Amino acid sequence: MTTTTIIFDLGAVLIDWNPHYLYRKVFQEEAQMLHFLENVCTSDWNEEQDGGRTLQEATDLLVAQYPEHEEYIRAFYGRWEEMLGGAIEGTVKIFEELKAQNKFKFYALTNWSSETFPIAQERFEFLTWFDGIVVSGDEKDRKPFPSFYQTLLDRYQVKPEEAIFIDDNLRNIHAAEKIGLDSIHFQSPEQLREELKKRGVL
């Protein structure tokens, strides 16, 4: 089957986003920072915002639970931009090379809050290269739920057997494979390049 479509995850594949960038400025000690991110502003908590919960509601919930950490909790979205690193240039270069072939449609399927995604759109010009972007916060649904992948496939008439899906999260890869998407577990731009060469698309 010919590949016609390439679907990218964004965070940690094309965009370097990491709460450590902010919280290293906020906490004196690495151990304190890690404890806070593992126990207070956790990745599970953050995923609920990706799934459509408002930033205000999420912040209020944690402040009520952990009033002693209020300042640090409010910083998560108050200073969210400081968690954004740059583009992952090696992957952007691959995207550019694929785009230059004029053979594929490109989509992004991203777990991202609808309130913070516009900040990324302003900052990263390559987000305009996509034929469509499906943002979890807008859809009130997210990876790894099959319904979220299906939203993209249905909206853009993508046949799973003609698509390649790229994501850094193994959980999301397994979910994609279950619905018939050939998937690449992203680890580095170099490894992605090799995987795409193997599939004959680069």
Side-chain angles (χ1 to χ4, degrees):
M1 189 66 70
T2 311
T3 301
T4 62
T5 306
I6 298 174
I7 304 166
F8 281 94
D9 171 40
L10 296 178
V13 174
L14 280 158
I15 295 170
D16 180 16
W17 175 85
N18 195 324
H20 292 187
Y21 295 147
L22 164 64
Y23 283 104
R24 281 207 176 101
K25 301 176 200 171
V26 170
F27 287 101
Q28 301 290 295
E29 291 172 27
E30 187 90 356
Q32 281 181 311
M33 173 190 82
L34 294 174
H35 183 269
F36 175 79
L37 292 171
E38 279 159 23
N39 297 283
V40 184
C41 288
T42 64
S43 55
D44 285 350
W45 168 79
N46 182 55
E47 277 206 330
E48 292 299 322
Q49 286 73 270
D50 292 346
R53 180 167 65 186
T54 69
L55 307 189
Q56 183 71 54
E57 194 186 337
T59 303
D60 291 348
L61 181 83
L62 285 193
V63 168
Q65 260 182 299
Y66 305 100
E68 71 280 14
H69 291 306
E70 179 171 1
E71 182 193 340
Y72 302 139
I73 293 164
R74 292 199 184 282
F76 197 95
Y77 291 114
R79 297 173 61 182
W80 184 86
E81 283 191 58
E82 294 174 58
M83 299 182 199
L84 273 182
I88 297 173
E89 294 299 346
T91 316
V92 176
K93 179 85 173 66
I94 290 168
F95 187 2
E96 205 170 3
E97 288 171 37
L98 290 167
K99 197 145 178 74
Q101 294 183 38
N102 286 319
K103 289 200 310 210
F104 310 108
K105 288 277 190 188
F106 297 95
Y107 301 104
L109 187 71
T110 184
N111 281 5
W112 206 304
S113 158
S114 57
E115 293 176 75
T116 56
F117 191 63
I119 298 168
Q121 283 181 301
E122 277 177 31
R123 190 173 294 196
F124 301 107
E125 193 267 332
F126 63 79
L127 291 175
T128 63
W129 302 353
F130 286 104
D131 296 289
I133 299 179
V134 180
V135 179
S136 61
D138 294 342
E139 306 299 330
K140 310 282 190 281
D141 195 5
R142 60 180 170 82
K143 295 176 283 190
F145 301 120
S147 50
F148 186 51
Y149 298 80
Q150 202 60 49
T151 295
L152 185 146
L153 299 179
D154 293 346
R155 186 168 295 164
Y156 299 109
Q157 286 93 53
V158 174
K159 294 179 181 158
E161 65 275 15
E162 293 180 4
I164 295 171
F165 173 69
I166 302 157
D167 198 298
D168 66 299
N169 187 320
L170 205 47
R171 177 195 69 176
N172 299 341
I173 291 289
H174 292 323
E177 286 171 342
K178 277 187 188 150
I179 60 165
L181 283 163
D182 176 21
S183 301
I184 297 172
H185 180 214
F186 179 87
Q187 290 155 63
S188 71
E190 296 71 28
Q191 166 259 356
L192 174 61
R193 186 176 287 280
E194 287 311 308
E195 290 290 340
L196 291 170
K197 279 183 180 167
K198 273 187 214 165
R199 287 162 173 79
V201 297
L202 254 190

